[in-house]
């Protein structure tokens, strides 16, 4: 589950390549150079979260931080999209992807921390 969440988080990293990549990802044109810089930085941040999730899949000690970072990432975007409403098709795909990521992270979190019944003799 952590790897699936990581791979979805790594998709937006292509936005660092510039305006055309960001337009493909989000269905928007960025005519303001400052906004382009902010969106490219956003792509880098997604890469960091994705790498953290991969590391957490391999190193259990990283999991609490990875769950926190991943869930903050997706839930904040989902809340912002819900509050704003009326987003385009491309942003709708991001909303759907973030719902998948949230489900993956919650399943992984439950698997890590849900108490397992002890075997009875």
């Amino acid at each position: 589950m952590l790897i699936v969440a990581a791979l979805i988080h790594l998709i937006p990293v292509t936005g660092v390549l510039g305006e055309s990549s960001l337009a493909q990802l989000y269905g928007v044109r960025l005519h303001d150079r400052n906004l382009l810089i902010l969106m490219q930085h956003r792509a880098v941040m997604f890469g960091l979260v994705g790498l953290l999730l991969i590391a957490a899949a391999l190193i259990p000690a990283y999991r609490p931080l990875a769950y926190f970072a991943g869930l903050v990432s997706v839930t904040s975007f989902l809340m912002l999209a819900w509050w704003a409403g009326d987003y385009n098709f491309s942003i709708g795909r991001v909303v759907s992807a973030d719902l998948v990521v949230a489900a993956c992270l919650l399943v992984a979190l439950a698997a890590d921390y849900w108490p397992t019944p002890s075997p009875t003799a």
Side-chain angles (χ1 to χ4, degrees):
M1 293 285 111
L2 286 170
I3 296 295
V4 171
L7 293 175
I8 294 171
H9 261 87
L10 290 173
I11 293 169
V13 172
T14 60
V16 82
L17 298 174
E19 198 273 333
S20 63
S21 296
L22 289 164
Q24 270 189 310
L25 286 167
Y26 303 114
V28 295
R29 289 279 179 217
L30 303 172
H31 300 292
D32 183 332
R33 189 86 183 128
N34 297 301
L35 186 54
L36 177 61
I37 293 166
L38 290 170
M39 291 299 289
Q40 287 176 302
H41 181 259
R42 181 181 188 276
V44 172
M45 295 296 102
F46 271 106
L48 289 175
V49 174
L51 291 176
L52 176 60
L53 290 167
I54 289 172
L58 303 172
I59 304 167
Y62 293 168
R63 289 182 187 164
L65 177 60
Y67 291 136
F68 177 77
L71 287 168
V72 166
S73 173
V74 296
T75 56
S76 62
F77 181 79
L78 290 170
M79 288 176 16
L80 290 168
W82 180 69
W83 284 330
D86 197 33
Y87 41 78
N88 67 21
F89 176 78
S90 296
I91 298 297
R93 285 192 327 223
V94 176
V95 167
S96 297
D98 276 4
L99 288 169
V100 170
V101 171
C104 288
L105 291 172
L106 291 173
V107 167
L109 182 65
D112 268 350
Y113 295 103
W114 196 271
T116 55
S118 58
T120 57

